[in-house]
Amino acid sequence: MNKQALVVGLGFAGAVVARSLADAGFTVTAFEKRPNIAGNMFEYERSNGVRVHMYGPHIFHTDLKHVFNYVSSFSSFYPYSHRVLGMIDGVLVPIPYNFTSIDKHFSPSKAESLKRKLLSEYPQDSRVPVSDLLRHSDPEIAGLGGFVFDKVFKNYTAKQWGTPVEELDPAVLRRVPVVIGEDDRYFHDAIQMMPLMGYTELFDNMLRHPNIHAHLNSDALNRIRPHVSSGKILLDGVPFQGPVCYTGSVDELFDYVLGSLPYRSLELHMEDHPVDLYQPASVVNYPNDEAFTRITEFKHMTLQDLPCATTIMKEYPMDYQPGGRLIPFYPIQSDRNKKLYQDYLALCEKYEDLFLCGRLAEYKYYNMDAVIDRALTVSTRIKETPRYEQEG
Ligand SMILES: Cc1cc2nc3c(=O)[nH]c(=O)nc-3n(C[C@H](O)[C@H](O)[C@H](O)COP(=O)(O)OP(=O)(O)OC[C@H]3O[C@@H](n4cnc5c(N)ncnc54)[C@H](O)[C@@H]3O)c2cc1C
């Protein structure tokens, strides 16, 4: 009999583990509760021909060469530099805020003075946290920090998290940069690419392997459950003899016995428009005057040449309720929630064959590159576990 493995969820976390174990000779049974593979990266074509990301825009960016090499074995990629504009005081300006943004918001003499001072304080093209500018001893630089904080960051973040900005972790503010120069790329990773035929095809290639048996429309929790007295995961009531890689929500796995882990979600509204292009960039942020946070126009990312047809997506942040129609997108990091997650982890430790991987199972925001890296590490751990090395 072959070595057996179970994988729950077919986003990047589950798909990478499934493929790595299949390559190592495991027979992998995978359950995905949605009707499609690719998790939140799922991409499909609208009736107007535009390829869209169903769960929000996903841009592949990384400094991890081995991760890019890994995904490149399942798809060709094309270079893509993501650019974001923000509608601030009725003007579209680059985000992160940069010298072009300063030129658009201030008089020529004020803008020149600000840029000269910034260049005398910080290296050209560096990204300075807005929190550093706010604390600066020069009132003009601190004033710019205050302007960016108020107009770009404060209301956007309050909308995104449904919380006044004062209640957020100060680390969030340290991650908001101002660019000392004209570079208007949103990300500054060495590798910024998009899969040539889209993420769904990449996943399709990754999961096309004779050892992988993927079941769509299959909620794993109808088939598996943790059995505390044996310390085993039961599959259809029988102890499963092999690793179980779980990428769903950890509170759901234990039937919310300790309470539910809170998430922030999004209502995603897709609109088709009979025009060549709707807006001048892939993403336009609306920090202040609208209920939505941003509009994505997918044609800027897919680079499709489709006259008189485009599709946009508006994002309305919402609270997430377990069992409701929304998706748990962003873990809400607070001391209480981190402690609750640790309590769930303590439950998981009783199950030696259970391996948690991914944004839901680890209650953590992961970018795609980080989750792929993590899934490769989890796969290696499973493959190197002596009790799985012999054939079962
Ligand atoms: C709006 C938004 C935009 C983002 N943009 C970017 C970006 O531009 N670049 C970037 O690098 N990252 C981005 N991310 C992060 C990216 O989405 C994550 O890194 C990625 O989804 C993590 O993969 P995962 O496999 O852990 O989770 P998911 O993709 O969510 O996959 C988990 C899968 O498990 C399935 N599942 C759950 N429970 C069960 C069950 N009981 N039975 C069966 N199946 C189950 C789910 O249906 C889902 O398909 C973005 C995230 C969001 C929310």
Side-chain angles (χ1 to χ4, degrees):
M1 215 171 103
N2 284 338
K3 299 182 281 186
Q4 301 283 329
L6 271 185
V7 170
V8 176
L10 287 172
F12 262 131
V16 169
V17 170
R19 178 61 188 235
S20 305
L21 296 186
D23 283 340
F26 284 81
T27 298
V28 181
T29 303
F31 297 118
E32 169 52 63
K33 67 178 168 188
R34 294 180 186 165
N36 49 267
I37 55 173
N40 284 353
M41 282 62 63
F42 178 63
E43 196 167 346
Y44 71 99
E45 194 173 293
R46 306 273 294 174
S47 57
N48 62 5
V50 180
R51 267 200 346 256
V52 298
H53 301 176
M54 184 156 171
Y55 302 102
H58 278 76
I59 295 99
F60 189 85
H61 56 100
T62 189
D63 284 324
L64 303 174
K65 235 176 161 174
H66 68 282
V67 166
F68 181 61
N69 289 343
Y70 183 76
V71 287
S72 298
S73 59
F74 303 107
S75 173
S76 303
F77 279 75
Y78 59 89
Y80 167 78
S81 289
H82 191 51
R83 288 186 169 78
V84 175
L85 298 173
M87 179 61 84
I88 319 280
D89 287 352
V91 187
L92 283 177
V93 300
I95 305 287
Y97 209 80
N98 68 5
F99 279 13
T100 311
S101 317
I102 291 176
D103 285 336
K104 291 197 176 229
H105 273 146
F106 297 96
S107 69
S109 59
K110 171 90 175 165
E112 279 318 306
S113 159
L114 274 170
K115 291 190 286 185
R116 207 172 36 249
K117 280 188 176 177
L118 289 169
L119 280 170
S120 70
E121 291 291 314
Y122 306 103
Q124 169 91 42
D125 291 329
S126 58
R127 292 179 173 232
V128 181
V130 76
S131 49
D132 287 10
L133 298 187
L134 274 167
R135 283 198 305 267
H136 202 281
S137 57
D138 183 308
E140 215 180 353
I141 294 182
L144 176 69
F147 180 86
V148 175
F149 177 82
D150 284 342
K151 303 278 184 168
V152 178
F153 173 74
K154 190 170 77 177
N155 296 334
Y156 188 96
T157 309
K159 255 195 286 190
Q160 179 80 356
W161 293 101
T163 313
V165 79
E166 299 75 29
E167 290 173 22
L168 286 173
D169 186 342
V172 176
L173 188 54
R174 283 197 294 277
R175 290 199 292 268
V176 181
V178 168
V179 177
I180 310 301
E182 258 101 36
D183 185 358
D184 62 350
R185 291 169 309 151
Y186 193 71
F187 301 113
H188 56 293
D189 309 58
I191 300 168
Q192 305 188 30
M193 296 276 189
M194 294 291 267
L196 189 60
M197 298 311 292
Y199 289 100
T200 309
E201 190 186 275
L202 185 160
F203 274 78
D204 208 30
N205 292 336
M206 192 180 277
L207 293 169
R208 191 169 306 128
H209 189 291
N211 290 359
I212 300 179
H213 306 283
H215 303 269
L216 301 182
N217 291 306
S218 298
D219 187 334
L221 299 182
N222 295 330
R223 305 282 304 272
I224 67 165
R225 74 183 166 86
H227 185 244
V228 69
S229 54
S230 65
K232 287 284 179 191
I233 303 294
L234 305 186
L235 171 63
D236 299 332
V238 178
F240 186 75
Q241 305 300 336
V244 178
C245 176
Y246 182 80
T247 77
S249 300
V250 74
D251 51 357
E252 204 179 358
L253 176 64
F254 291 97
D255 209 12
Y256 306 100
V257 63
L258 305 174
S260 55
L261 287 162
Y263 286 90
R264 199 70 178 144
S265 188
L266 296 168
E267 282 254 15
L268 300 167
H269 286 200
M270 207 83 85
E271 293 172 15
D272 298 323
H273 290 270
V275 295
D276 291 346
L277 282 176
Y278 180 90
Q279 62 187 26
S282 303
V283 170
V284 176
N285 286 358
Y286 289 83
N288 302 315
D289 303 322
E290 313 282 352
F292 50 84
T293 46
R294 59 180 183 171
I295 299 180
T296 298
E297 184 172 24
F298 292 97
K299 265 172 80 178
H300 288 286
M301 294 177 190
T302 59
L303 312 181
Q304 288 167 286
D305 182 19
L306 293 165
C308 274
T310 195
T311 302
I312 61 161
M313 173 186 267
K314 293 180 180 164
E315 295 180 28
Y316 295 84
M318 303 273 162
D319 279 334
Y320 167 74
Q321 304 295 339
R325 66 193 166 82
L326 295 177
I327 295 193
F329 276 132
Y330 302 105
I332 299 178
Q333 295 296 340
S334 68
D335 291 344
R336 178 201 166 268
N337 300 347
K338 285 179 198 161
K339 160 88 175 59
L340 181 56
Y341 180 71
Q342 289 305 319
D343 293 344
Y344 273 113
L345 265 193
L347 289 185
C348 293
E349 273 156 21
K350 301 192 169 85
Y351 302 87
E352 62 174 1
D353 293 320
L354 180 62
F355 294 82
L356 302 180
C357 185
R359 61 182 201 88
L360 296 167
E362 298 182 68
Y363 196 59
K364 178 174 176 177
Y365 183 85
Y366 271 118
N367 274 324
M368 291 182 281
D369 63 332
V371 91
I372 293 163
D373 194 35
R374 165 79 182 144
L376 291 170
T377 303
V378 169
S379 314
T380 304
R381 233 177 66 216
I382 294 174
K383 288 185 278 191
E384 290 177 351
T385 299
R387 66 180 179 284
Y388 304 136
E389 274 173 6
Q390 301 91 23
E391 302 218 325

